[in-house]
Amino acid sequence: MVQLHSAPKLLALCFFLILVNFYIAEAGVRHYKWEVKYDFRSPDCYKKLVITINGKSPGPTIEAQEGDTVIVEVNNSLLTENLAIHWHGIRQIGTPWFDGTEGVSQCPILPGDTFVYQFVVDRPGTYLYHAHYGMQREAGLYGMIRVASKDPEPFSYDFDRSIILNDWYHKSTYEQSAGLSSIPFQWVGEPQSLLIHGKGRFNCSSLTADVCNSTNPQCSPFVQTVVTGKTYRIRVASLSALSALSFQIEGHNMTVVEADGHYVEPFVVKNLYIYSGETYSVLVKANQDPSRNYWITSNVVSRNRTTPPGLAIFNYYPNHPMRSPPTTPPPPPAWDNVESRLIQSLTIKAHPNYTIKPPTTSDRVIVMLNTQNTIDGVRHWSVNNVSFFLPHTPYLVALKENINGVFNQRPPPDGYDFNNYDILSVANNTNATSSNGIYRLQFNTTVDVILQNANTMNKNNSETHPWHLHGHDFWVLGYGKGKFDVNNDPKNYNLVNPISKNTVPVHPFGWTALRFRSDNPGVWAFHCHIESHFYMGMGVVFEEGIDRVGKLPSSIMGCGKTKNLLRP
Ligand code: C2O
Ligand code: CU
């Protein structure tokens, strides 16, 4: 029985328990066991083979607190297919071997094998995970990582929710990749549907019900239920295979507060442009007429869209969650409105209280011209006329263990023919080559990368490419139109409050300037996050501080020339 004089004791006990709790939370371990396999699923009503984690696509959300160790035991039950899972946005400081990038940081996980990823989530924010082997990601293997902050955040909300956006193809990744490397070239085309948190709606009318069934509960729309007057933090992420997207909640403004795990100076949008590999947190207040539901939409931008909008329901409690809004979905921005996308990119700045100042100068500048090329009759994407392909033996093992003959020792160029190359005319770079050569960065230096966009092999066409860097965040110093001017454009860099990100778009016919520190020992991919573009060679690899990398676990070995290391 609690006696009167024991109140202080109770208080002390409570305090002690809170402390214990806090201590446990300080060094938490989050353990997950995943089984990865193929399942028949109908995310947009059309039945196909989908890669699931524990039966789910999108896979389970990883919930952790900053500083926690995440352990994921992955069992590859794909039977005839290799696997690797990348933790997108997690820098893997001290654990470059668990980055999950096949060919770069590890050998693929063989069918039947179990692989244990173990890494620290050192910063709060919204991150992703997805397959990083071939074009496996778009078969459905993806999900979200939410890392809670230990400190108060610079904004408040009542509820914390997530929405992953995606586009969806009916053809298998095998048909797609075979087409991309065929002569003649067979482009993957526009996606059949857009998924909102794993759910979409394809028009089944011309198909039989065993193939496409619009009454299948698997393709009932995603519902976000809200209570009038409450504020929702919605973590919006895109893992689209191809599409740049515009995300909207009918009748509601969104206040952007986080981007790729960094707090931004809040700004309000009606529609959020989001590129594959990006994450944002937006605050949405349920402040509209509560007697009805509203549309949540995603639409393709930057390509002449043929895919119908992705639709979900913003449901005001207590309306029925499945009740369709009485309106037609809000119209998307014009697909070719580059200007409004550029403006949004330029608006994203670091939050004043969380600004990490970039170094004011750099030690090395690499300008990367993005072009389409034909090499030996096959269509490719190239950087400075070099189209990238992965070696069979992972770079990390080859470099750390001094295995020779794994990749081309000649690095790709640091620039292109600035004076003579015309970025506005159809690419005709007959001198393009394929290579698995990499950039070797001096450790602990400041590196600038300028992404330079150009015309594709079609007239008057330049695409949006979301570039993602592994192992780092970079500062986004600027965006511009046309050809980057090495002498003058750097004068206008934002060195005051640039946002830090891990994924950034380069807009059509424009350039984007990034800066990062080569301070994370390891080997890191930097590539276009469009699945088919990376497959066609749109990527590079950076090595930094390889001599500082710790002892490699033997679990990442077993393929190519790493086999020799495993022999006694
Ligand atoms: Cu999210 Cu290398 O990718
Ligand atoms: Cu691309």
Side-chain angles (χ1 to χ4, degrees), residues 93-136:
I93 296 167
T95 51
W97 44 79
F98 288 142
D99 187 48
T101 309
E102 187 273 330
V104 178
S105 63
Q106 71 170 98
C107 290
I109 309 167
L110 297 179
D113 275 1
T114 297
F115 188 94
V116 183
Y117 289 101
Q118 176 168 345
F119 52 88
V120 174
V121 287
D122 60 322
R123 283 193 301 103
T126 310
Y127 308 100
L128 299 163
Y129 65 81
H130 59 79
H132 216 300
Y133 178 75
M135 290 173 62
Q136 203 170 51

Side-chain angles (χ1 to χ4, degrees), residues 26 28 30 62-71 87 89-93 95 118-125 127 145-148 150:
E26 273 280 283
R30 311 280 167 159
I62 292 182
E63 298 269 4
Q65 202 190 25
E66 81 180 276
D68 282 356
T69 297
V70 171
I71 302 176
W87 317 95
I90 307 300
R91 291 171 297 171
Q92 301 291 354
I93 296 167
T95 51
Q118 176 168 345
F119 52 88
V120 174
V121 287
D122 60 322
R123 283 193 301 103
Y127 308 100
I145 304 173
R146 299 169 26 143
V147 185
K150 280 188 196 158

Side-chain angles (χ1 to χ4, degrees), residues 341-389:
R341 279 181 274 128
L342 182 62
I343 287 171
Q344 195 170 97
S345 292
L346 287 164
T347 307
I348 306 169
K349 303 276 163 58
H351 188 285
N353 303 340
Y354 295 84
T355 303
I356 311 162
K357 286 244 156 120
T360 50
T361 56
S362 71
D363 302 301
R364 182 172 174 184
V365 179
I366 306 175
V367 184
M368 297 187 176
L369 175 71
N370 294 200
T371 55
Q372 247 181 5
N373 312 74
T374 304
I375 302 170
D376 298 329
V378 180
R379 185 75 63 94
H380 283 272
W381 282 97
S382 305
V383 168
N384 295 339
N385 275 343
V386 177
S387 183
F388 176 78
F389 66 92

Side-chain angles (χ1 to χ4, degrees), residues 370 381 463-467 528-530 533-534 538:
N370 294 200
W381 282 97
E463 298 185 15
T464 303
H465 305 284
W467 279 79
C528 176
H529 214 262
I530 292 175
H533 288 187
F534 182 44
M538 199 167 207

Side-chain angles (χ1 to χ4, degrees), residues 39-71:
D39 278 313
F40 280 112
R41 285 287 182 278
S42 309
D44 66 345
C45 306
Y46 180 93
K47 188 166 91 182
K48 68 170 268 188
L49 281 172
V50 172
I51 300 183
T52 61
I53 299 174
N54 298 345
K56 299 204 305 189
S57 170
T61 300
I62 292 182
E63 298 269 4
Q65 202 190 25
E66 81 180 276
D68 282 356
T69 297
V70 171
I71 302 176

